[in-house]
Amino acid sequence: MNYSVFSMQVVMELRGEDDPTYRELHKIIRSAPERTSYAQMHDYYGRICNVLRREADRFTMGVWDYWDDPSRAPNDFQDWVNGLQGKEARTEPAREDGNPRYLACTLALLLQNGSTSDQRLGQHCDIAEAKLWRRSTFQHLLKGPALLNFLHVKSDVVYMLPGDDPACGLTQENLAGKDFHYLRQLT
């Protein structure tokens, strides 16, 4: 079977260790049952995307891709899964220096290429080049998973950095480093 991939990562400044957005996303992500129905997956991604859409004005950096090229999609998806392994994660809090800390939320979906869900998502992701790196574009794209029938989703991943400890939020140095070289400034 051939696949397409949709992936997105957004970065926003944490509003302290008790940031309500961090807490809400963390709770949703941690509550994901191991096995779910297609309807439960639709609801799960809907809740995550709703929280992120509500906070789109806070996005400072981000990246997104939609590839309907079957030769590229599986490897691109695997790159996002590998991020879950923690190569970008802080393992201990950064030295307190008064500078902001950030969270990064990532989602990636591997879809059946050519399915109705893939076609709807492809149309939804048809964005003019001049608008690719706008917060409003990311807000729009976060409506994409609601268009899907999760019967057509072969695999998915969602994760957030920091994980369980908000004190391990990313620093500006982390975001400027090689592990996050792909991120774009959003306007």
Side-chain angles (χ1 to χ4, degrees), residues 23-95:
R23 294 283 176 208
E24 189 174 3
L25 285 169
H26 185 267
K27 182 178 178 181
I28 294 168
I29 291 169
R30 287 290 181 211
S31 72
E34 206 169 298
R35 297 181 189 267
T36 60
S37 70
Y38 301 129
Q40 289 169 320
M41 287 303 291
H42 189 271
D43 177 63
Y44 175 72
Y45 275 92
R47 290 184 294 139
I48 291 168
C49 290
N50 285 340
V51 172
L52 291 172
R53 276 198 346 260
R54 187 177 69 224
E55 299 297 330
D57 288 344
R58 290 176 58 191
F59 297 170
T60 57
M61 301 174 83
V63 67
W64 70 274
D65 283 320
Y66 168 77
W67 297 106
D68 61 356
D69 177 350
S71 67
R72 184 171 181 163
N75 290 334
D76 194 58
F77 180 78
Q78 190 58 48
D79 285 345
W80 290 108
V81 171
N82 291 345
L84 181 61
Q85 306 299 320
K87 66 179 174 137
E88 300 106 350
R90 294 192 64 81
T91 55
E92 55 188 65
R95 178 180 55 83

Side-chain angles (χ1 to χ4, degrees), residues 166-179:
C168 291
L170 300 167
T171 65
Q172 291 172 339
E173 287 177 340
N174 296 137
L175 294 171
K178 65 178 175 58
D179 288 336

Side-chain angles (χ1 to χ4, degrees), residues 5-25:
V5 65
F6 172 76
S7 56
M8 175 184 285
Q9 185 172 63
V10 295
V11 174
M12 68 180 89
E13 186 175 332
L14 281 165
R15 294 179 175 157
E17 292 187 23
D18 289 325
D19 184 314
T21 302
Y22 165 82
R23 294 283 176 208
E24 189 174 3
L25 285 169

